[in-house]
mmCIF file of all heavy atoms in Angstrom:
data_model
loop_
_atom_site.group_PDB
_atom_site.id
_atom_site.type_symbol
_atom_site.label_atom_id
_atom_site.label_comp_id
_atom_site.label_asym_id
_atom_site.label_seq_id
_atom_site.Cartn_x
_atom_site.Cartn_y
_atom_site.Cartn_z
ATOM 1 N N LEU A 1 146.361 44.524 162.389
ATOM 2 C CA LEU A 1 147.457 43.703 162.961
ATOM 3 C C LEU A 1 148.653 43.425 162.030
ATOM 4 O O LEU A 1 149.733 43.588 162.407
ATOM 5 C CB LEU A 1 146.870 42.271 163.306
ATOM 6 C CG LEU A 1 145.927 42.199 164.497
ATOM 7 C CD1 LEU A 1 145.295 40.729 164.593
ATOM 8 C CD2 LEU A 1 146.729 42.513 165.673
ATOM 9 N N THR A 2 148.363 43.472 160.763
ATOM 10 C CA THR A 2 149.409 43.480 159.647
ATOM 11 C C THR A 2 150.172 44.741 159.741
ATOM 12 O O THR A 2 151.381 44.684 159.589
ATOM 13 C CB THR A 2 148.775 43.225 158.361
ATOM 14 O OG1 THR A 2 148.077 41.949 158.335
ATOM 15 C CG2 THR A 2 149.950 43.102 157.229
ATOM 16 N N ALA A 3 149.474 45.847 160.011
ATOM 17 C CA ALA A 3 150.201 47.227 160.056
ATOM 18 C C ALA A 3 151.179 47.217 161.317
ATOM 19 O O ALA A 3 152.271 47.670 161.157
ATOM 20 C CB ALA A 3 149.184 48.295 160.266
ATOM 21 N N LEU A 4 150.681 46.564 162.338
ATOM 22 C CA LEU A 4 151.545 46.410 163.536
ATOM 23 C C LEU A 4 152.772 45.525 163.296
ATOM 24 O O LEU A 4 153.852 45.809 163.816
ATOM 25 C CB LEU A 4 150.742 45.839 164.769
ATOM 26 C CG LEU A 4 149.758 46.821 165.394
ATOM 27 C CD1 LEU A 4 148.899 46.082 166.419
ATOM 28 C CD2 LEU A 4 150.509 48.019 166.086
ATOM 29 N N THR A 5 152.600 44.548 162.526
ATOM 30 C CA THR A 5 153.631 43.535 162.372
ATOM 31 C C THR A 5 154.539 43.913 161.151
ATOM 32 O O THR A 5 155.664 43.345 161.028
ATOM 33 C CB THR A 5 153.160 42.050 162.102
ATOM 34 O OG1 THR A 5 152.219 42.093 160.974
ATOM 35 C CG2 THR A 5 152.552 41.599 163.492
ATOM 36 N N HIS A 6 154.085 44.892 160.348
ATOM 37 C CA HIS A 6 154.885 45.506 159.189
ATOM 38 C C HIS A 6 154.946 46.865 159.359
ATOM 39 O O HIS A 6 154.540 47.552 158.368
ATOM 40 C CB HIS A 6 154.192 45.018 157.793
ATOM 41 C CG HIS A 6 154.248 43.442 157.674
ATOM 42 N ND1 HIS A 6 153.291 42.623 158.119
ATOM 43 C CD2 HIS A 6 155.117 42.761 156.994
ATOM 44 C CE1 HIS A 6 153.592 41.398 157.771
ATOM 45 N NE2 HIS A 6 154.606 41.334 157.040
ATOM 46 N N ARG A 7 155.433 47.370 160.541
ATOM 47 C CA ARG A 7 155.482 48.812 160.822
ATOM 48 C C ARG A 7 156.106 49.714 159.750
ATOM 49 O O ARG A 7 155.586 50.672 159.279
ATOM 50 C CB ARG A 7 156.120 49.055 162.020
ATOM 51 C CG ARG A 7 155.390 48.603 163.268
ATOM 52 C CD ARG A 7 156.260 48.960 164.474
ATOM 53 N NE ARG A 7 155.979 48.125 165.671
ATOM 54 C CZ ARG A 7 154.994 48.158 166.432
ATOM 55 N NH1 ARG A 7 154.008 48.984 166.021
ATOM 56 N NH2 ARG A 7 154.798 47.442 167.470
ATOM 57 N N ALA A 8 157.221 49.239 159.193
ATOM 58 C CA ALA A 8 158.077 49.933 158.180
ATOM 59 C C ALA A 8 157.193 50.219 156.965
ATOM 60 O O ALA A 8 157.222 51.248 156.496
ATOM 61 C CB ALA A 8 159.449 49.277 157.949
ATOM 62 N N ASP A 9 156.521 49.099 156.442
ATOM 63 C CA ASP A 9 155.791 49.276 155.238
ATOM 64 C C ASP A 9 154.630 50.206 155.533
ATOM 65 O O ASP A 9 154.313 51.052 154.602
ATOM 66 C CB ASP A 9 155.295 48.005 154.792
ATOM 67 C CG ASP A 9 156.331 47.068 154.315
ATOM 68 O OD1 ASP A 9 157.395 47.497 153.937
ATOM 69 O OD2 ASP A 9 156.152 45.607 154.373
ATOM 70 N N PHE A 10 153.982 50.112 156.681
ATOM 71 C CA PHE A 10 152.825 50.884 156.965
ATOM 72 C C PHE A 10 153.283 52.368 157.177
ATOM 73 O O PHE A 10 152.494 53.326 156.517
ATOM 74 C CB PHE A 10 152.068 50.393 158.294
ATOM 75 C CG PHE A 10 150.856 51.254 158.628
ATOM 76 C CD1 PHE A 10 149.777 51.026 157.834
ATOM 77 C CD2 PHE A 10 150.915 52.127 159.689
ATOM 78 C CE1 PHE A 10 148.640 51.783 158.147
ATOM 79 C CE2 PHE A 10 149.784 52.907 160.005
ATOM 80 C CZ PHE A 10 148.650 52.676 159.306
ATOM 81 N N VAL A 11 154.238 52.644 157.846
ATOM 82 C CA VAL A 11 154.766 53.976 158.128
ATOM 83 C C VAL A 11 155.185 54.666 156.782
ATOM 84 O O VAL A 11 154.859 55.858 156.552
ATOM 85 C CB VAL A 11 155.902 53.976 159.134
ATOM 86 C CG1 VAL A 11 156.485 55.461 159.255
ATOM 87 C CG2 VAL A 11 155.298 53.695 160.596
ATOM 88 N N ALA A 12 155.714 53.864 155.865
ATOM 89 C CA ALA A 12 156.227 54.366 154.621
ATOM 90 C C ALA A 12 155.091 54.757 153.585
ATOM 91 O O ALA A 12 155.371 55.395 152.684
ATOM 92 C CB ALA A 12 157.246 53.484 154.022
ATOM 93 N N ALA A 13 153.870 54.048 153.861
ATOM 94 C CA ALA A 13 152.906 54.281 152.955
ATOM 95 C C ALA A 13 152.395 55.752 152.886
ATOM 96 O O ALA A 13 152.140 56.292 153.961
ATOM 97 C CB ALA A 13 151.665 53.313 153.308
ATOM 98 N N SER A 14 152.114 56.286 151.745
ATOM 99 C CA SER A 14 151.707 57.718 151.655
ATOM 100 C C SER A 14 150.205 57.726 152.023
ATOM 101 O O SER A 14 149.809 58.671 152.560
ATOM 102 C CB SER A 14 151.997 58.241 150.280
ATOM 103 O OG SER A 14 151.282 57.568 149.278
ATOM 104 N N ASN A 15 149.482 56.707 151.623
ATOM 105 C CA ASN A 15 148.033 56.732 152.076
ATOM 106 C C ASN A 15 147.844 55.541 152.825
ATOM 107 O O ASN A 15 147.606 54.340 152.386
ATOM 108 C CB ASN A 15 147.122 56.698 150.737
ATOM 109 C CG ASN A 15 145.656 56.786 151.033
ATOM 110 O OD1 ASN A 15 145.252 56.326 152.133
ATOM 111 N ND2 ASN A 15 144.994 57.250 150.058
ATOM 112 N N LYS A 16 147.765 55.686 154.096
ATOM 113 C CA LYS A 16 147.687 54.467 155.062
ATOM 114 C C LYS A 16 146.296 53.848 155.044
ATOM 115 O O LYS A 16 146.323 52.627 155.185
ATOM 116 C CB LYS A 16 148.036 55.000 156.446
ATOM 117 C CG LYS A 16 149.456 55.497 156.602
ATOM 118 C CD LYS A 16 149.901 55.983 157.861
ATOM 119 C CE LYS A 16 151.366 56.500 157.934
ATOM 120 N NZ LYS A 16 152.105 56.786 156.751
ATOM 121 N N GLU A 17 145.294 54.606 154.756
ATOM 122 C CA GLU A 17 144.000 53.969 154.687
ATOM 123 C C GLU A 17 143.917 53.008 153.363
ATOM 124 O O GLU A 17 143.262 51.960 153.512
ATOM 125 C CB GLU A 17 142.845 54.995 154.679
ATOM 126 C CG GLU A 17 141.514 54.245 154.642
ATOM 127 C CD GLU A 17 140.341 55.401 154.813
ATOM 128 O OE1 GLU A 17 140.486 56.324 155.557
ATOM 129 O OE2 GLU A 17 139.279 55.158 154.197
ATOM 130 N N ALA A 18 144.467 53.456 152.361
ATOM 131 C CA ALA A 18 144.546 52.585 151.169
ATOM 132 C C ALA A 18 145.288 51.475 151.351
ATOM 133 O O ALA A 18 144.911 50.299 150.906
ATOM 134 C CB ALA A 18 145.029 53.461 150.000
ATOM 135 N N TRP A 19 146.436 51.529 152.176
ATOM 136 C CA TRP A 19 147.217 50.390 152.597
ATOM 137 C C TRP A 19 146.419 49.421 153.181
ATOM 138 O O TRP A 19 146.469 48.247 153.001
ATOM 139 C CB TRP A 19 148.466 50.902 153.261
ATOM 140 C CG TRP A 19 149.694 49.872 153.496
ATOM 141 C CD1 TRP A 19 150.627 49.683 152.770
ATOM 142 C CD2 TRP A 19 149.680 48.933 154.594
ATOM 143 N NE1 TRP A 19 151.461 48.682 153.297
ATOM 144 C CE2 TRP A 19 150.868 48.202 154.343
ATOM 145 C CE3 TRP A 19 148.882 48.663 155.738
ATOM 146 C CZ2 TRP A 19 151.252 47.166 155.361
ATOM 147 C CZ3 TRP A 19 149.221 47.655 156.544
ATOM 148 C CH2 TRP A 19 150.418 46.955 156.410
ATOM 149 N N LEU A 20 145.700 49.810 154.206
ATOM 150 C CA LEU A 20 144.830 48.945 155.051
ATOM 151 C C LEU A 20 143.780 48.363 154.265
ATOM 152 O O LEU A 20 143.445 47.156 154.418
ATOM 153 C CB LEU A 20 144.361 49.696 156.250
ATOM 154 C CG LEU A 20 145.341 50.261 157.384
ATOM 155 C CD1 LEU A 20 144.706 51.196 158.104
ATOM 156 C CD2 LEU A 20 145.634 48.934 158.165
ATOM 157 N N ARG A 21 143.197 49.138 153.331
ATOM 158 C CA ARG A 21 142.068 48.691 152.502
ATOM 159 C C ARG A 21 142.627 47.502 151.551
ATOM 160 O O ARG A 21 141.936 46.546 151.389
ATOM 161 C CB ARG A 21 141.501 49.680 151.624
ATOM 162 C CG ARG A 21 140.423 49.294 150.810
ATOM 163 C CD ARG A 21 139.834 50.430 149.932
ATOM 164 N NE ARG A 21 139.497 51.616 150.732
ATOM 165 C CZ ARG A 21 140.139 52.704 150.810
ATOM 166 N NH1 ARG A 21 141.224 52.834 149.947
ATOM 167 N NH2 ARG A 21 139.750 53.703 151.429
ATOM 168 N N THR A 22 143.809 47.738 151.098
ATOM 169 C CA THR A 22 144.403 46.626 150.271
ATOM 170 C C THR A 22 144.651 45.423 150.994
ATOM 171 O O THR A 22 144.300 44.291 150.559
ATOM 172 C CB THR A 22 145.658 47.141 149.654
ATOM 173 O OG1 THR A 22 145.489 48.356 148.851
ATOM 174 C CG2 THR A 22 146.349 46.103 148.715
ATOM 175 N N VAL A 23 145.253 45.518 152.241
ATOM 176 C CA VAL A 23 145.395 44.314 153.010
ATOM 177 C C VAL A 23 144.090 43.626 153.466
ATOM 178 O O VAL A 23 143.963 42.432 153.279
ATOM 179 C CB VAL A 23 146.142 44.703 154.366
ATOM 180 C CG1 VAL A 23 146.271 43.573 155.341
ATOM 181 C CG2 VAL A 23 147.529 45.227 154.011
ATOM 182 N N ALA A 24 143.125 44.424 153.718
ATOM 183 C CA ALA A 24 141.736 43.854 154.094
ATOM 184 C C ALA A 24 141.124 43.149 152.870
ATOM 185 O O ALA A 24 140.608 41.981 152.984
ATOM 186 C CB ALA A 24 140.814 44.953 154.673
ATOM 187 N N LEU A 25 141.197 43.774 151.724
ATOM 188 C CA LEU A 25 140.754 43.263 150.523
ATOM 189 C C LEU A 25 141.413 41.903 150.180
ATOM 190 O O LEU A 25 140.744 40.941 149.764
ATOM 191 C CB LEU A 25 140.829 44.346 149.345
ATOM 192 C CG LEU A 25 140.230 43.761 148.063
ATOM 193 C CD1 LEU A 25 138.806 43.398 148.142
ATOM 194 C CD2 LEU A 25 140.394 44.928 147.053
ATOM 195 N N ASN A 26 142.693 41.926 150.408
ATOM 196 C CA ASN A 26 143.483 40.645 150.127
ATOM 197 C C ASN A 26 142.980 39.532 151.011
ATOM 198 O O ASN A 26 142.964 38.465 150.657
ATOM 199 C CB ASN A 26 144.883 40.937 150.124
ATOM 200 C CG ASN A 26 145.487 41.604 148.941
ATOM 201 O OD1 ASN A 26 144.776 41.616 147.896
ATOM 202 N ND2 ASN A 26 146.586 42.238 148.957
ATOM 203 N N ARG A 27 142.792 39.890 152.213
ATOM 204 C CA ARG A 27 142.401 38.913 153.285
ATOM 205 C C ARG A 27 140.993 38.375 152.836
ATOM 206 O O ARG A 27 140.732 37.146 153.041
ATOM 207 C CB ARG A 27 142.334 39.565 154.670
ATOM 208 C CG ARG A 27 143.521 40.111 155.318
ATOM 209 C CD ARG A 27 144.209 39.011 155.963
ATOM 210 N NE ARG A 27 145.591 39.517 156.438
ATOM 211 C CZ ARG A 27 146.404 38.802 157.147
ATOM 212 N NH1 ARG A 27 146.153 37.720 157.455
ATOM 213 N NH2 ARG A 27 147.500 39.404 157.583
ATOM 214 N N LEU A 28 140.088 39.265 152.513
ATOM 215 C CA LEU A 28 138.783 38.845 151.999
ATOM 216 C C LEU A 28 138.810 38.035 150.828
ATOM 217 O O LEU A 28 138.260 36.865 150.811
ATOM 218 C CB LEU A 28 137.943 40.078 151.633
ATOM 219 C CG LEU A 28 136.390 39.976 151.617
ATOM 220 C CD1 LEU A 28 135.879 39.328 152.897
ATOM 221 C CD2 LEU A 28 135.851 41.359 151.389
ATOM 222 N N ARG A 29 139.708 38.240 149.959
ATOM 223 C CA ARG A 29 139.930 37.472 148.680
ATOM 224 C C ARG A 29 140.410 36.071 148.979
ATOM 225 O O ARG A 29 139.901 35.107 148.526
ATOM 226 C CB ARG A 29 140.819 38.008 147.624
ATOM 227 C CG ARG A 29 140.288 39.292 146.924
ATOM 228 C CD ARG A 29 141.214 39.843 146.016
ATOM 229 N NE ARG A 29 140.686 40.889 145.219
ATOM 230 C CZ ARG A 29 141.376 41.868 144.807
ATOM 231 N NH1 ARG A 29 142.602 42.092 144.970
ATOM 232 N NH2 ARG A 29 140.705 42.823 144.064
ATOM 233 N N ASN A 30 141.325 36.072 150.026
ATOM 234 C CA ASN A 30 141.880 34.703 150.432
ATOM 235 C C ASN A 30 140.772 33.939 151.095
ATOM 236 O O ASN A 30 140.695 32.718 150.852
ATOM 237 C CB ASN A 30 143.007 34.906 151.451
ATOM 238 C CG ASN A 30 144.318 35.343 150.707
ATOM 239 O OD1 ASN A 30 144.532 35.251 149.470
ATOM 240 N ND2 ASN A 30 145.215 36.073 151.484
#
């Protein structure tokens, strides 16, 4: 969902799975 709401950041990421993993990990830490 974050990727959908932050499309530009997601599309610009060279490793999209790593980008998603970082977001998921931050959600878990929160």
Side-chain angles (χ1 to χ4, degrees):
L1 286 173
T2 302
L4 287 169
T5 59
H6 295 85
R7 290 180 204 290
D9 293 336
F10 181 75
V11 170
S14 61
N15 185 333
K16 292 173 179 28
E17 185 172 322
W19 189 94
L20 290 161
R21 184 180 306 107
T22 300
V23 172
L25 180 57
N26 287 338
R27 299 275 181 178
L28 197 54
R29 285 178 176 151
N30 287 339

